[in-house]
């Protein structure tokens, strides 16, 4: 079960490197003063990761749009990047069509489908990535393509070195991560993971992990973000009634704000009586991109192994297909 | 237990009206091209509600900042509205101080504290609201003050009529809402609420409800947003293992996108085998502001009554005090 899917999950580091080739033909794009990234699910999370990655590297606001509607604040001279792995996501198509009508600068990242056909017809800058993967497994392709579009729009300098270093580092960690992930997955059987992340640093990685628990492991997971969680969620976490089934996963990064590092420590102590089991997942490697991707890669492996340990198929997302059918 | 706190919760409609007076002295503010609202917890949720309320009414982007750090995209000519009910929230103070150093246009909404002292010294436009409430109970004051600041910045026309109508409508519904809320609260004892909300329309109301479950009811709640939830969360919701303890709360608004209305219906059917208990909460009243506030008001009452039904004190958030002490 899931052998070829294991390749999709574990090839993450190789895919980062392979993705460098897909944007070779991408033309230069006019430098925008605001960036909007439209997508859903596996096609949107790359936008969140880019937003965290660039948080203090560029002075241009980035907004991720998980909606049918184009935000009312978007201007013609802004850049809308439509990400739809299948090319047929109805929400992304809806945003794309509105943007076309309004004459907004657009770039496309897709493997094909209707959005690709329209992009060809309208001569819109497009990165075409290989088809045939689960959308969530295509993240390395979609994420690197996003960085490439931003390079072409002169928003950020060439990222090839950081990408290649992350690819190399994570390739070298593959076996160790896999072993550690299998061990952690065993502890998570029958538990609801509570993920602690931090605003700007591990936030997008935390959301990726939550969604991978949903889709790969068929498990409910709960995402909390520092410092906001200390203003509401901590109240119930400190006095849970059915805490026996909860497992705290704390994502950590060296760039977490000093006060947030302190908050993590104190919050963990304050809820310790209520949630007894926990694990810390520290980002690893040189540079912010590598560290972020280390959290994503390790988390992906954990959720894959949790599926196997629970004896569910990590690839299967049958209910999404059923939903699409019913929506027709 | 919680009698004076019941007044705080149930007086919501009266507070909307009373809040109109607090901004009478507010000077004119330079019209910005981007708006940032800084705050945490009960002081931030007004920002989310304003963002939803104005989603297609203004062409200016609104960003809510729940962080210690000022976003790198903020410019001098943008407007930063610092909301801190106590005036001593360390994250909001950190953002405020960075903005002062950078010479950014600032407005303040607070009941006092350090931020008020600094605002007086620096002659920053400030709305001072009455002190002595739980920050989450001050939402009507903070929300209306936000609208007033935006009026003064010529971002939107006078909202008094919409505010007064909402206040009147919700005052008239008080008894009915209270009875209905008590009935729903009884069903929620020992359950984990899964809140379904929709992007742009009921999203902020859903987040408010989640946080009120946390703080008032000391209950864990799980927030999912359409259409994103159909791309990940639906997978586990459709095949939950311990679904007996979950209760689905679906927030609905007449302005939900037609495709999202369809998604809500189909998603509910698809996960129906897994989550058997559910309730729909429909927004009510004339106009978007009133409808949004009807969801907030009813939700606040539900979480208050759930606390009483669980025999916990809805006012008490002792662990937040303990955390603040430990952070010193």
């Amino acid at each position: 079960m899931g052998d070829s899917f294991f390749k999709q999950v574990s090839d993450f580091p190789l895919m980062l490197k392979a993705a460098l080739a897909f944007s070779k033909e991408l033309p230069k794009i006019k430098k925008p003063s605001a960036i909007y990234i439209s997508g859903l699910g596996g096609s949107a999370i790359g936008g969140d990761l880019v937003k965290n990655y660039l948080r203090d590297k560029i002075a241009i606001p980035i907004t991720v749009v998980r909606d049918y509607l184009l935000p009312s604040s978007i201007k013609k001279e802004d850049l809308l990047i439509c990400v739809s792995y299948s090319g047929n996501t109805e929400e992304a198509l809806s945003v794309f069509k509105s943007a076309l009508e309004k004459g907004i600068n657009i770039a496309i990242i897709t493997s094909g489908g209707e959005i690709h056909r329209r992009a060809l017809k309208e001569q819109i800058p497009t990165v075409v990535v290989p088809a045939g993967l689960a959308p969530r497994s295509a993240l390395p392709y979609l994420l690197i393509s996003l960085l490439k579009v931003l390079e072409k729009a002169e928003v950020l300098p060439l990222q090839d070195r950081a990408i290649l270093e992350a690819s190399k580092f994570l390739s070298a960690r593959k076996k160790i991560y896999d072993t550690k992930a299998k061990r952690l997955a065993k502890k998570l059987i029958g538990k609801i993971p509570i993920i602690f992340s931090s605003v700007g640093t591990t936030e997008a990685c935390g959301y990726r992990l939550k969604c991978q628990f949903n889709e790969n492991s068929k498990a409910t997971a709960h995402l909390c973000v520092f410092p906001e969680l200390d203003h509401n969620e901590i109240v119930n976490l400190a006095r849970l009634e059915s805490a026996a089934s909860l497992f705290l996963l704390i994502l950590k990064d060296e760039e977490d704000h000093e006060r947030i590092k302190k908050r993590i420590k104190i919050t963990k102590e304050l809820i310790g009586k209520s949630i007894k089991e926990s694990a810390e997942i520290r980002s690893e490697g040189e540079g912010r991109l590598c560290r972020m991707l280390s959290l994503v890669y390790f988390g992906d492996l954990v959720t894959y192994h949790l599926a196997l340990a629970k004896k569910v198929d990590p690839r299967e997302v049958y209910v999404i297909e059923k939903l699409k059918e019913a929506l027709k």
Side-chain angles (χ1 to χ4, degrees), chain A residues 2-3 18 20 48 62 129 146 157 175 178 206 239 295 297:
Chain A
D3 270 359
L20 288 172
D48 295 321
I62 301 177
V129 304
L146 271 173
K175 274 215 163 159
D178 196 47
R239 47 187 294 170
L295 290 178
Y297 186 37

Side-chain angles (χ1 to χ4, degrees), chain A residues 59-222:
Chain A
I60 300 170
I62 301 177
T63 306
V64 180
V65 182
R66 290 177 161 93
D67 199 346
Y68 284 91
L69 304 174
L70 201 60
S72 64
S73 58
I74 198 166
K75 288 170 195 64
K76 278 190 183 183
E77 60 275 21
D78 295 339
L79 175 63
L80 172 73
I81 312 176
C82 296
V83 187
S84 171
Y85 181 64
S86 70
N88 296 315
T89 322
E90 65 171 31
E91 300 96 320
L93 281 169
S94 161
V95 169
F96 170 64
K97 284 170 188 171
S98 302
L100 267 184
E101 277 169 25
K102 291 194 176 166
I104 287 159
N105 287 328
I106 308 175
I108 304 280
I109 300 171
T110 186
S111 74
E114 189 182 337
I115 214 164
H116 188 207
R117 283 192 296 278
R118 286 296 297 271
L120 279 172
K121 200 179 142 201
E122 311 279 349
Q123 296 188 292
I124 293 168
T126 302
V127 184
V128 182
V129 304
L133 299 169
R136 60 192 180 282
S137 300
L139 172 61
Y141 292 167
L142 304 175
L143 171 70
I144 301 307
S145 301
L146 271 173
L147 294 177
K148 289 286 145 188
V149 169
L150 297 180
E151 283 172 22
K152 290 287 176 180
E154 295 182 345
V155 165
L156 80 160
L158 196 67
Q159 299 297 307
D160 287 18
R161 211 180 130 176
I163 295 164
L164 289 170
E165 277 178 5
S167 169
K168 197 177 156 191
F169 178 84
L170 296 178
S171 288
R173 303 294 276 168
K174 180 173 160 176
K175 274 215 163 159
I176 294 175
Y177 277 20
D178 196 47
T179 308
K180 278 191 179 179
K182 218 177 277 181
R183 208 179 303 147
L184 180 54
K186 267 186 197 154
K187 296 184 191 171
L188 290 168
I189 302 172
K191 304 282 163 64
I192 295 174
I194 307 279
I195 303 162
F196 274 9
S197 63
S198 300
V199 65
T201 56
T202 60
E203 193 178 6
C205 301
Y207 186 66
R208 165 71 170 184
L209 183 56
K210 182 207 92 70
C211 295
Q212 293 288 71
F213 274 122
N214 298 158
E215 290 191 82
N216 289 345
S217 324
K218 282 75 186 169
T220 298
H222 194 79

Side-chain angles (χ1 to χ4, degrees), chain A residues 9 26 29 32 80 87 107 109 128-129 131 162 176 218 223 225 228 239 247 263 270 284 315:
Chain A
V9 175
L26 197 63
I29 295 165
L80 172 73
I109 300 171
V128 182
V129 304
I176 294 175
K218 282 75 186 169
L223 178 67
V225 185
E228 173 73 3
R239 47 187 294 170
F247 195 108
R263 280 181 182 273
L270 286 171
E284 291 186 335
R315 175 195 292 248

Side-chain angles (χ1 to χ4, degrees), chain A residues 284-298:
Chain A
E284 291 186 335
E286 278 293 313
R288 190 187 287 170
L289 187 68
C290 184
R291 292 202 316 277
M292 290 180 66
L293 294 176
S294 75
L295 290 178
V296 173
Y297 186 37
F298 181 70

